[in-house]
Amino acid sequence: MYHDDYSEKLFSRRAFVIGGLQLCGLVILGVRLAWLQIAQGKRYKMLSDKNRINIKILPPPRGEIVDRFGVPLAVNNQTYRVLIIPEQTDNIEKSLRALQSVIYVEEEHIDRILKEASKTAKFIPLRIKEGLSWGDVARVEVRLPDLPGIFIDVGDIRSYPYRDATAHIVGYVRAASKEDLEDNDPVLRLPGFRIGKTGIEKVYDKEMRGRPGAAEVEVNVVGREVRELKRKDPLFGSRVTLSIDGELQRITQEVLSEHISASAVVMDAYSGAIYAMASYPAFDPNAFVRGLTKEEWAVISEDPTHPQTNKAVSGQYPPGSTFKMISALAGLEKGTITRDTLIFCPGHYEYGKSRYHCWKRGGHGYVNLEKALQESCDTFFYEMAVEVGINAIADMARRFGLGDTLGLELGGERSGLIPDEAWKKKTMGVSWYPGETIISSIGQGNVLTTPLQLAVMTARMVNGGIGVKPWITGYVGEEYLERRDWDKIDVNPKHLALVRSGMDRVVNNRKGTAYSSRIDIEGMEMGGKTGTSQVQRITAEQRRLGIKNEDLPWRQRHHALFVGYAPISDPRYVCAVVVEHGIGGSTAAAPIAKILLEQTQRRDPAGTQMQPEIIDKDKKESKTRLEDFSGQNNQELEKPSFTIPPKKPKMQGQSLMQDFAPAPAPTQKTVNKIEGIYND
Amino acid sequence: MQSMFRENDLGIAHKFARINWGLVLLIFCLAGIGIASLYSAAGGSFDPWASRQLVRFGVGVIGMFIIAMMDIRWWYKLTWPIYFIGIIMLVFVEAKGHVGMGAQRWIDLGFIHLQPSELMKIAVIMALARHFHGLSPEQVRRIQYLVVPALVVCAPVGLVLLQPDLGTSLMIVMAGAGMVFIAGAPLRLFIGSAILTMISVPIIWQFLRDYQKQRVMTFINPESDPLGAGYHITQSKIAIGSGGVEGKGFMQGTQSHLNFLPEKQTDFIFTLWVEEWGLFGGLFLLSLIFLIFAIGFGIAMRCRHTFGRYLALGMSLNFSLYVFINISMVMGLIPVVGAPLPLVSYGGTSMLAALIGFGLMMSCSIHRHSKVTR
């Protein structure tokens, strides 16, 4: 038998069960339909006839970005804007044209809105124009009956009070691009909603964005709100607290602006906190928020000094003489030199057939290490380096954070380059030759570093070999991101002390290369090292003719560098300054470092603790912004004026200490240090 | 008596006469409702939806007849190749999706965006029907004969989950479970699986990461997303309810036309229909569906070979899964999953899949006396 009885019966039973379930399902659907249409029919009919239910999206206020003292670096200002809801008009273009007869609307806006309207859901309002004047608001309000679908509301616009001074750190927000919209967050489709495109705005975009709320409102046939049915308040985005000192940042930017192109970093020697990091020229991020015109964009994008680049992390320069400490430490570690080794400098060094010049034509005579650093004698390092070898120098450089990125959360870091024998074999396929060691020892040749790396190198030198890494974000909301637990690097503290003594003499010895830039205030003295790095070789011809570097075109002039720390007694702050084509480290870079380190010590950012966002549960739920018509709060961005604070006697620091709780002391050493500053 | 002999070679005319014309009529009615609603949705215009839907339906119906005329033994033999082609297409969209950055669930065939996962449901049902064909009830009760069905279901489910499309994978699982049930697997298996699922869900939940939990929560409770699905359901309920018993009349639906319903031409087509045609229209549509179930049931019962019985009932089951999920969703009975109403909703693949399913069902009917050997 093909079908036996049993299987026949089994199939029938099961098929009946399936059929029964199908029937049940249909009955349930029918009952539900009847319930909706009969029992609830009246209610729904009323809802649909007299009033329509509309949904109003409540945009979340973006989290602010503040500096370590809570001073805002990025805030939300309110702006009047004119919007259109496509579903409330029969003809979008007609409405827009009608609006055009009332206020000035650029033709490109019209095109953009028509394009957007065809792509988004009809109930989502589209932004036509922002930053309306009072006059425009009044004109539109009066003509509103003739402008179907169009309405005016108050919205947030991001504003950066420090303008170009914080442009590279804070970044800016812009309207979401097509690729961003693929991330299906509905908030991206809100009118005028912007997302972080660069800097901290980009890194913590998600955290600062918050979550939109929504209100279900009944609107009558002409679109007027009758009442609110349901409401879900938006969630504020998190506030981001940076380690930056906004005022110090502004001062830094201001000081750098005396040159054509320059960058600087001020950092905590023990924690790695960045207090200021500037790159000049910069740009005004507020212009990016409102949208650049073609001309403005052309000016920025075609500027040969690259205003959009943060040179403090992505500018790579030969470190010049600021590299000599590394060479010295390598020599000390290998035992090639000691504190007392004397080398004679006749003004040049002969190796093979080549002659390597010291910067001082007549030579320095007999020099030891400290004096060689103090006067930046090249010959001392040429002779020592030949014996030490490039691999030992490169190894030492890497321990100090050179030659690789340091993991700053801001991104955009370049790795620089620390050449050695293996690198040359790999990239060029030929062997290293000793002449390269000679020029590498004074930070020339293939050696490349970024200003950030130089600051980290200096920090590790003056903090007793703690392997700090840079960071810039203290808190995201309540989340604590500060890092302090760094491992020690492998280096002899005695050698570090010797090098530091040399750096002290660079600034504070009458014959030091940066003596004219010393900080002449007791307890605030700085130490450091100048550097002047060649962009191109000085030819024998130029040497013979005595052509001065400042006579060359800007592009061919030397870079000016300075790395410094302060105070010399117990270093707390480090800084690195690079002036592109600034000709001389001692003339161009050291004076900047002097201002920065003096200002840093006066402001003493390390003496304050960053505060997390105090999350007030009531404040977190924002009131609707759309109803918030309370006066125009569109204040003119005030530009903080540049005034270097008056010299304060040291005791005034103590009143500062009462305002801000002292920093948690990571090590015994820093505790001593803080007391050292305030209690002596 | 006819049943005493096997008819393995039927002439075209004979086959044509055996087509279940009642079923064809019902299919035309459902498609007609769809096209009328699409015409209304576009504000009284064949453009952009109704005209294209009409063309697709025309092409699909021809395909359905061809499938129906083809000998059931052919389909029996082609089952595994079809299944593996389906798997290859799923792998292909997965790979292409990776290259193209983003969840792409379809293959562009020019006239239609083909979603392999929809066709895969049919292939799974065919494969299970073929597997159980000729197994004795005693064999089906043994666990080793359920290994192949488990693999047949799990492979496409895994691939569809990768897309990621939880809704479709659940539908494949349900269709597969239905087939195993039809084939006579012991009831304790189903009870056991249900208990196991209930136990394992909280345990798996523990291991999920926060963002995964969030995703599942949004899936289960779309009302938590006030701008998305929750809004649609509220609007859909208002539209349905305001239709009342008699409806607002053809082309008179206010809610749907005022664009409160963003997906009115696809998933929410039922809403538009009952807003305009009221409870009468809704019950009429449900009656059509009931008759289709009844015909499917009849075909399965009259079929003389197990393959055909399982296949016919399986296709009916598949159709009903779509119907229940879609209609309960738009009436706010279950979370939003994004399933179309077959034959009625605008969409090429769902139309094609439904017509293929009915074609196979008809083939079972036409060739009900064929002898299908293993």
Side-chain angles (χ1 to χ4, degrees):
Chain A
M1 270 300 267
Y2 188 66
H3 291 294
D4 57 46
D5 273 354
Y6 176 69
S7 92
E8 186 90 8
K9 271 185 192 153
L10 181 68
F11 175 74
S12 303
R13 264 206 319 262
R14 295 270 162 122
F16 270 109
V17 172
I18 295 283
L21 284 175
Q22 287 175 322
L23 188 62
C24 273
L26 283 180
V27 169
I28 291 171
L29 295 182
V31 169
R32 172 74 174 177
L33 184 64
W35 187 79
L36 284 176
Q37 294 196 310
I38 299 173
Q40 302 273 304
K42 270 210 175 108
R43 188 172 84 98
Y44 284 125
K45 202 160 186 96
M46 196 191 69
L47 285 175
S48 88
D49 280 356
K50 293 202 178 126
N51 296 303
R52 296 180 289 172
I53 294 197
N54 208 343
I55 200 147
K56 197 168 69 176
I57 300 151
L58 310 173
R62 190 173 175 85
E64 294 190 333
I65 302 175
V66 298
D67 81 349
R68 63 184 303 105
F69 301 108
V71 177
L73 306 178
V75 292
N76 305 314
N77 280 341
Q78 292 193 321
T79 174
Y80 278 97
R81 34 187 213 177
V82 54
L83 309 177
I84 184 166
I85 299 184
E87 72 176 13
Q88 288 178 5
T89 172
D90 299 331
N91 187 335
I92 301 172
E93 191 167 358
K94 216 170 130 192
S95 290
L96 292 172
R97 296 290 169 212
L99 179 69
Q100 252 183 337
S101 66
V102 180
I103 57 169
Y104 176 70
V105 182
E106 286 95 339
E107 207 54 37
E108 13 180 314
H109 285 319
I110 306 269
D111 296 343
R112 171 180 59 83
I113 287 160
L114 289 176
K115 222 182 266 171
E116 277 177 33
S118 62
K119 275 182 286 188
T120 53
K122 297 258 182 283
F123 63 93
I124 292 179
L126 301 171
R127 170 179 52 108
I128 302 172
K129 200 179 170 183
E130 260 172 346
L132 294 187
S133 69
W134 258 122
D136 282 349
V137 171
R139 268 189 282 280
V140 175
E141 288 282 4
V142 168
R143 297 283 301 278
L144 224 44
D146 308 333
L147 304 168
I150 283 173
F151 70 106
I152 287 198
D153 83 342
V154 184
D156 280 345
I157 191 163
R158 197 70 155 172
S159 159
Y160 305 98
Y162 281 88
R163 296 188 176 198
D164 61 332
T166 54
H168 294 122
I169 295 169
V170 172
Y172 55 81
V173 293
R174 290 190 85 170
S177 67
K178 227 183 216 162
E179 299 86 71
D180 298 324
L181 287 177
E182 277 167 21
D183 167 14
N184 264 329
D185 193 342
V187 72
L188 293 178
R189 291 179 174 76
L190 289 179
F193 195 84
R194 294 177 168 94
I195 62 171
K197 285 291 181 183
T198 63
I200 292 293
E201 290 274 32
K202 182 180 181 185
V203 177
Y204 296 109
D205 182 60
K206 287 257 157 66
E207 289 81 353
M208 286 190 280
R209 211 184 267 179
R211 286 195 52 176
E216 248 180 47
V217 289
E218 252 179 64
V219 290
N220 63 13
V221 268
V222 288
R224 192 174 297 275
E225 279 173 29
V226 179
R227 65 190 165 116
E228 199 169 278
L229 299 174
K230 248 196 232 169
R231 180 189 187 83
K232 194 181 161 205
D233 283 313
L235 278 177
F236 274 68
S238 298
R239 189 175 82 168
V240 173
T241 308
L242 300 183
S243 61
I244 293 292
D245 173 351
E247 192 58 20
L248 185 66
Q249 176 75 25
R250 191 184 55 73
I251 293 168
T252 310
Q253 189 75 14
E254 194 84 28
V255 180
L256 294 181
S257 69
E258 285 164 27
H259 298 274
I260 294 169
S261 178
S263 55
V265 177
V266 179
M267 199 177 89
D268 190 292
Y270 286 89
S271 71
I274 290 180
Y275 296 128
M277 181 166 75
S279 174
Y280 181 86
F283 53 89
D284 183 1
N286 296 301
F288 280 80
V289 177
R290 93 180 122 69
L292 294 175
T293 62
K294 274 196 183 109
E295 295 76 35
E296 284 174 313
W297 172 245
V299 168
I300 289 179
S301 60
E302 283 161 25
D303 190 326
T305 55
H306 304 296
Q308 283 195 282
T309 309
N310 181 3
K311 299 187 195 84
V313 296
S314 60
Q316 302 185 107
Y317 309 93
S321 301
T322 58
F323 193 71
K324 284 176 181 166
M325 283 84 80
I326 297 289
S327 304
L329 287 167
L332 289 166
E333 183 168 88
K334 218 174 172 186
T336 312
I337 53 166
T338 65
R339 185 195 177 102
D340 305 319
T341 306
L342 285 179
I343 288 175
F344 183 74
C345 167
H348 56 81
Y349 175 68
E350 309 259 354
Y351 186 85
K353 286 181 207 153
S354 305
R355 169 175 280 203
Y356 297 88
H357 291 274
C358 183
W359 67 270
K360 196 169 176 184
R361 282 193 102 173
H364 290 92
Y366 280 101
V367 288
N368 64 4
L369 173 59
E370 282 161 288
K371 198 172 173 210
L373 286 172
Q374 172 191 315
E375 296 179 22
S376 205
C377 171
D378 294 333
T379 311
F380 181 91
F381 293 96
Y382 292 154
E383 191 165 333
M384 178 203 81
V386 171
E387 215 167 305
V388 176
I390 189 64
N391 287 347
I393 293 175
D395 179 48
M396 185 60 71
R398 288 190 196 106
R399 275 182 250 170
F400 281 85
L402 305 182
D404 202 356
T405 52
L406 294 157
L408 183 67
E409 61 268 35
L410 208 49
E413 264 187 90
R414 299 283 294 272
S415 61
L417 176 63
I418 297 301
D420 61 10
E421 287 171 19
W423 166 82
K424 191 167 181 201
K425 194 90 198 160
K426 204 176 135 202
T427 54
M428 300 183 199
V430 288
S431 307
W432 186 267
Y433 76 100
E436 290 176 277
T437 307
I438 292 170
I439 56 169
S440 296
S441 74
I442 60 155
Q444 292 285 160
N446 290 309
V447 184
L448 287 175
T449 57
T450 66
L452 181 68
Q453 286 173 339
L454 290 176
V456 168
M457 172 191 86
T458 314
R460 291 179 182 187
M461 266 170 200
V462 300
N463 66 14
I466 302 168
V468 293
K469 285 188 171 186
W471 54 269
I472 204 161
T473 320
Y475 288 92
V476 174
E478 288 176 299
E479 192 193 350
Y480 183 55
L481 294 177
E482 195 178 331
R483 281 129 289 175
R484 279 168 184 270
D485 46 339
W486 308 113
D487 294 330
K488 282 250 180 187
I489 59 170
D490 177 25
V491 63
N492 187 333
K494 280 183 190 157
H495 298 166
L496 285 179
L498 188 59
V499 165
R500 224 174 92 188
S501 158
M503 291 169 82
D504 178 354
R505 290 167 63 167
V506 169
V507 184
N508 300 309
N509 189 296
R510 201 163 291 277
K511 284 191 155 178
T513 52
Y515 180 69
S516 57
S517 296
R518 71 198 174 281
I519 298 176
D520 214 356
I521 301 165
E522 210 194 322
M524 287 200 179
E525 296 92 340
M526 74 167 183
K529 182 74 195 79
T530 55
T532 304
S533 64
Q534 292 172 19
V535 177
Q536 58 182 45
R537 266 186 84 98
I538 302 174
T539 60
E541 177 80 359
Q542 284 170 344
R543 214 177 282 283
R544 191 172 55 78
L545 294 172
I547 289 179
K548 285 197 177 136
N549 195 238
E550 47 266 49
D551 300 334
L552 294 172
W554 183 73
R555 283 241 161 260
Q556 294 172 21
R557 294 178 198 165
H558 303 324
H559 291 313
L561 298 92
F562 189 84
V563 298
Y565 64 93
I568 46 165
S569 53
D570 196 353
R572 179 76 213 181
Y573 300 107
V574 297
C575 87
V577 178
V578 175
V579 179
E580 282 189 2
H581 311 291
I583 299 173
S586 56
T587 52
I592 293 176
K594 173 198 164 147
I595 297 174
L596 295 186
L597 284 175
E598 188 184 328
Q599 288 302 325
T600 309
Q601 290 180 88
R602 285 185 191 282
R603 299 187 54 79
D604 197 39
T608 60
Q609 189 184 15
M610 283 178 284
Q611 295 294 327
E613 182 178 16
I614 311 296
I615 295 188
D616 178 355
K617 292 282 178 265
D618 298 331
K619 187 201 138 203
K620 206 60 187 156
E621 305 273 300
S622 95
K623 290 284 149 215
T624 170
R625 317 291 289 185
L626 300 182
E627 289 164 7
D628 196 1
F629 272 89
S630 53
Q632 196 174 21
N633 196 13
N634 206 355
Q635 75 263 81
E636 173 68 17
L637 300 176
E638 59 171 276
K639 187 188 179 182
S641 57
F642 174 53
T643 45
I644 292 178
K647 286 189 179 182
K648 277 186 256 173
K650 236 186 300 163
M651 283 311 289
Q652 270 196 341
Q654 239 159 6
S655 67
L656 241 180
M657 289 296 289
Q658 286 155 4
D659 296 341
F660 302 98
T667 60
Q668 193 57 39
K669 192 164 172 69
T670 38
V671 172
N672 292 341
K673 200 231 114 236
I674 289 166
E675 284 168 356
I677 289 182
Y678 291 103
N679 296 349
D680 66 3
Chain B
M1 214 171 116
Q2 199 179 34
S3 61
M4 291 312 290
F5 62 93
R6 293 286 177 169
E7 25 168 51
N8 280 334
D9 296 298
L10 290 169
I12 286 281
H14 198 172
K15 284 187 180 186
F16 200 73
R18 274 209 190 162
I19 285 177
N20 197 321
W21 292 103
L23 182 58
V24 174
L25 180 69
L26 290 169
I27 289 168
F28 271 76
C29 282
L30 272 183
I33 286 178
I35 289 161
S37 299
L38 291 174
Y39 178 81
S40 167
S45 160
F46 278 101
D47 207 44
W49 301 306
S51 54
R52 282 191 228 165
Q53 183 84 341
L54 199 58
V55 171
R56 283 179 193 152
F57 180 66
V59 173
V61 162
I62 293 168
M64 176 180 79
F65 281 127
I66 294 172
I67 290 170
M69 299 292 206
M70 271 177 71
D71 199 314
I72 194 76
R73 288 165 299 175
W74 269 86
W75 290 118
Y76 182 83
K77 278 180 198 143
L78 283 174
T79 295
W80 287 117
I82 289 171
Y83 180 83
F84 287 112
I85 289 169
I87 291 282
I88 288 166
M89 285 202 293
L90 276 181
V91 172
F92 176 74
V93 282
E94 181 58 29
K96 196 169 149 225
H98 273 297
V99 177
M101 300 286 283
Q104 217 183 41
R105 297 170 183 178
W106 39 264
I107 298 170
D108 194 355
L109 293 183
F111 68 101
I112 179 178
H113 283 168
L114 192 72
Q115 286 174 298
S117 58
E118 298 291 325
L119 299 185
M120 201 60 218
K121 262 178 256 179
I122 293 172
V124 166
I125 291 166
M126 287 177 78
L128 291 177
R130 175 173 176 156
H131 173 75
F132 288 120
H133 172 80
L135 287 189
S136 70
E138 291 75 29
Q139 284 172 317
V140 176
R141 296 188 80 82
R142 273 187 238 129
I143 201 85
Q144 64 261 40
Y145 288 96
L146 294 175
V147 172
V148 173
L151 289 176
V152 162
V153 173
C154 287
V157 165
L159 286 166
V160 174
L161 273 179
L162 280 176
Q163 285 183 351
D165 185 350
L166 190 58
T168 305
S169 20
L170 280 177
M171 279 177 81
I172 298 178
V173 170
M174 284 191 279
M179 289 303 287
V180 175
F181 176 81
I182 292 167
L187 285 176
R188 56 187 146 81
L189 186 78
F190 295 94
I191 298 166
S193 318
I195 293 172
L196 202 67
T197 313
M198 276 189 277
I199 296 172
S200 63
V201 163
I203 296 171
I204 294 169
W205 186 252
Q206 304 283 318
F207 287 98
L208 291 180
R209 290 170 191 277
D210 275 347
Y211 76 93
Q212 288 170 323
K213 285 183 187 172
Q214 185 63 42
R215 246 183 238 174
V216 176
M217 283 314 290
T218 323
F219 172 72
I220 292 171
N221 179 20
E223 310 266 342
S224 66
D225 173 10
L227 308 181
Y231 170 74
H232 298 167
I233 290 305
T234 308
Q235 297 302 336
S236 175
K237 284 198 289 196
I238 292 173
I240 294 173
S242 64
V245 177
E246 288 159 26
K248 296 175 183 172
F250 186 52
M251 308 257 302
Q252 303 299 313
T254 53
Q255 299 299 293
S256 315
H257 286 173
L258 284 169
N259 293 314
F260 279 113
L261 275 179
E263 294 289 321
K264 59 186 175 226
Q265 80 279 17
T266 57
D267 292 357
F268 287 92
I269 194 84
F270 179 79
T271 303
L272 189 138
W273 172 254
V274 296
E275 186 190 3
E276 297 188 347
W277 296 92
L279 187 62
F280 290 136
L283 292 181
F284 175 66
L285 195 151
L286 292 178
S287 319
L288 293 180
I289 291 168
F290 170 75
L291 290 176
I292 289 179
F293 291 166
I295 288 175
F297 184 77
I299 289 173
M301 295 311 282
R302 275 183 299 154
C303 191
R304 299 292 313 276
H305 44 85
T306 332
F307 178 65
R309 302 179 137 199
Y310 292 170
L311 189 58
L313 203 54
M315 288 307 156
S316 169
L317 181 66
N318 187 34
F319 177 70
S320 53
L321 281 175
Y322 271 107
V323 169
F324 292 140
I325 289 176
N326 176 272
I327 300 183
S328 2
M329 171 186 79
V330 301
M331 292 199 295
L333 285 173
I334 58 163
V336 173
V337 275
L341 186 58
L343 294 177
V344 186
S345 285
Y346 180 75
T349 309
S350 76
M351 170 74 78
L352 202 63
L355 290 174
I356 290 173
F358 288 123
L360 288 169
M361 203 190 261
M362 286 187 204
S363 178
C364 295
S365 171
I366 292 168
H367 308 95
R368 56 181 172 265
H369 298 297
S370 297
K371 186 178 166 69
V372 181
T373 43
R374 288 202 83 182

